[in-house]
Amino acid sequence: MWNPLSWVMEAAAVMAIVLANGGGEGPDWQDFVRIICLLIINSTISFIEENNAGNAAAALMARLAPKTKVLRDGQWQETDAAILVPGDIISIKLGDIIPADARLLEGDPLKIDQASALLDSDKSQLNN
């Protein structure tokens, strides 16, 4: 409830209680209750929307997390790139994003686009 619309509604609720209707009548309780109900509905909808947005962002981040094939315990496993440790043997193929610093053990020469790492369009040729 920390936004300009809520502040205006809160001020209107306070004014409905503090100010009399005129003619010797008391505070306007019906308007006060209606405004408070609208504030509660607004807060509930905002909470649900923010919660859904947070869940969607978390799901997107989990889906975009880089994965890699790593040789562990004599078997190839697909795992998150974040848990690679020095000495892990990874498998790469055409189009893969290399998830960490790596040393080539075998294979053909590589042509690597380092633009994302170096913020330029330099393409490097690496040989075994």
Side-chain angles (χ1 to χ4, degrees), residues 77-101:
Q77 306 170 15
E78 186 167 319
T79 184
D80 289 332
I83 61 170
L84 288 176
V85 295
D88 276 343
I89 298 175
I90 59 173
S91 173
I92 56 174
K93 62 184 184 304
L94 183 65
D96 280 352
I97 296 173
I98 300 175
D101 290 343

Side-chain angles (χ1 to χ4, degrees), residues 43-121:
S43 299
T44 303
I45 291 171
S46 295
F47 174 77
I48 291 169
E49 286 180 354
E50 285 183 26
N51 191 28
N52 289 343
N55 291 343
L60 183 60
M61 292 299 289
R63 190 167 185 212
L64 293 177
K67 303 233 182 241
T68 188
K69 287 184 82 173
V70 63
L71 181 64
R72 289 198 177 148
D73 300 325
Q75 295 181 350
W76 289 102
Q77 306 170 15
E78 186 167 319
T79 184
D80 289 332
I83 61 170
L84 288 176
V85 295
D88 276 343
I89 298 175
I90 59 173
S91 173
I92 56 174
K93 62 184 184 304
L94 183 65
D96 280 352
I97 296 173
I98 300 175
D101 290 343
R103 180 173 34 147
L104 295 177
L105 299 177
E106 60 183 44
D108 296 328
L110 296 175
K111 190 172 193 178
I112 298 175
D113 181 4
Q114 297 181 1
S116 62
L118 301 176
L119 301 176
D120 64 12
S121 59

Side-chain angles (χ1 to χ4, degrees), residues 26-46:
D28 192 354
W29 290 103
Q30 287 113 359
D31 283 348
F32 174 77
V33 170
R34 287 183 195 131
I35 292 170
I36 295 300
C37 287
L38 287 174
L39 275 170
I40 292 171
I41 291 169
N42 185 26
S43 299
T44 303
I45 291 171
S46 295

